[in-house]
Amino acid sequence: MKRVLVTGAAGFLGSHLCDRFIKEGYHVIGMDNLITGNLKNIEHLFKLEHFEFYHYDVSKFVHVPGKLDYILHFASPASPIDYLKIPIQTLKVGSLGTHNLLGLAKAKGACMLIASTSEVYGDPQVHPQPEDYWGNVNPVGPRGVYDEAKRFQEAMTMAYHTYHGVDTKIVRIFNTYGPRMRLNDGRVLPAFIGQALRGEDLTVFGDGSQTRSFCYVDDLVEGIYRLLLSDYHLPVNIGNPSEITIAQFAEEIIKLTGTNQKVTYKPLPADDPKQRQPDITLAKRILGWEPKVNRSEGLKITYDYFKGLSKEELYQSKHRFE
Ligand code: UDP
């Protein structure tokens, strides 16, 4: 039986990856320090013989007994509000955490896949973004702690690949959504849905003309799974190229929720990228992958998930670090 370690296992993406590897017949070892993760996301796995969980911070030396075939490093805060609240942890998990896990991969002869991000492109001046665009990142802005940690992470991963011969994979993840997103993580989709469910106005930052391209989580997981099993070592974009302005997205959420909420405009946060859309030519070619779930289907499933949350969860959803 293949054994896989998933860091950030109690988070949004980590928990969906655990589900997928269990379904594929792997022994899954989840690890999370639970700063932004939530055990509720993986509660259903604890009863399984082939799932185990370590409450641990990967920024410290990591030890896992027994053999390991794969390591997927998905531990990291992942929204601008989180970076502002816990900037040092964000830097550490992307840099020190990655170094520790690469060391573990080398020691175990495991293949390691790291979760990189479209944030390595910063506020991009090339549109859509192909993998060979080097980006436009402000290292000392509010997003710098995340963006630079992720850029360092890619460099460190490539160095372990070329110098130590570790089998590594790098996925650049674009905006992804689906069930188990944290209602209070500050990201636009849970923010809008939470506001609609509480009967509040939807807060659009700036004039809403900035664009994003949203990928449903199952599509992302499929792309990651294929990349892990491929023999490609350079970064690969995984995302849905269907691009939309944030103002249009607010209208879609209002329609989806059947509410009559109004939109209010707030100042645009510093260094908020004006446009973002993945060029997925490479993923199509080397992985035969492209997204299958369109936004209206994916949003419906996601909305049903948020509707199922308790009133308490809905109303205590102001940010956890406040
Ligand atoms: N955004 C917004 N209202 C909110 C939260 C976010 O208009 O309540 C905007 C944000 O400024 C950004 C876009 O939505 O332009 C996507 O934000 P998110 O934090 O989800 O992701 P990222 O900016 O990292 O792509």
Side-chain angles (χ1 to χ4, degrees), residues 267-281:
L268 191 68
D271 301 336
D272 199 288
K274 281 177 275 310
Q275 51 184 5
R276 184 181 288 152
Q277 183 189 32
D279 180 334
I280 58 166
T281 311

Side-chain angles (χ1 to χ4, degrees), residues 10-221:
F12 166 46
L13 298 182
S15 65
H16 284 282
L17 285 165
C18 289
D19 285 345
R20 175 67 186 256
F21 283 102
I22 288 286
K23 210 170 114 205
E24 298 287 345
Y26 290 67
H27 181 91
V28 177
I29 302 161
M31 196 173 269
D32 205 300
N33 67 358
L34 302 176
I35 290 190
T36 57
N38 187 343
L39 282 181
K40 206 180 148 202
N41 292 335
I42 46 172
E43 226 163 34
H44 58 287
L45 300 176
F46 277 76
K47 60 177 182 293
L48 303 180
E49 186 191 348
H50 289 296
F51 179 77
E52 48 184 314
F53 179 75
Y54 291 81
H55 182 189
Y56 193 72
D57 180 354
V58 296
S59 302
K60 302 188 187 109
F61 178 85
V62 184
H63 174 71
V64 174
K67 77 158 186 158
L68 270 184
D69 299 285
Y70 300 104
I71 299 173
L72 285 89
H73 185 23
F74 277 70
S76 178
S79 82
I81 286 192
D82 286 347
Y83 321 147
L84 281 175
K85 302 281 177 186
I86 42 173
I88 316 284
Q89 286 98 323
T90 304
L91 276 160
K92 283 169 77 175
V93 72
S95 55
L96 306 181
T98 300
H99 188 204
N100 291 335
L101 292 162
L102 282 164
L104 183 66
K106 177 168 160 264
K108 300 277 186 187
C111 165
M112 167 129 161
L113 181 145
I114 58 150
S116 188
T117 166
S118 55
E119 283 286 327
V120 301
Y121 303 123
D123 188 2
Q125 289 163 333
V126 169
H127 194 70
Q129 295 79 54
E131 287 83 352
D132 57 8
Y133 174 52
W134 293 350
N136 177 37
V137 169
N138 174 5
V140 294
R143 291 174 184 248
V145 294
Y146 182 67
D147 300 9
E148 295 298 357
K150 290 292 184 182
R151 289 170 69 97
F152 174 90
Q153 179 183 51
E154 288 197 6
M156 181 64 102
T157 301
M158 282 314 294
Y160 265 69
H161 176 66
T162 50
Y163 186 71
H164 287 308
V166 175
D167 183 9
T168 57
K169 315 283 148 84
I170 300 174
V171 57
R172 289 194 181 142
I173 299 170
F174 283 66
N175 293 69
T176 301
Y177 69 97
R180 302 185 193 154
M181 289 187 96
R182 230 168 68 223
L183 200 51
N184 61 356
D185 79 352
R187 293 203 156 271
V188 67
L189 181 139
F192 283 173
I193 293 186
Q195 287 161 342
L197 287 172
R198 290 189 299 267
E200 299 166 4
D201 290 353
L202 272 58
T203 51
V204 168
F205 298 162
D207 63 4
S209 64
Q210 70 273 33
T211 70
R212 294 294 185 271
S213 308
F214 296 97
C215 182
Y216 186 65
V217 63
D218 288 358
D219 282 333
L220 180 89
V221 166

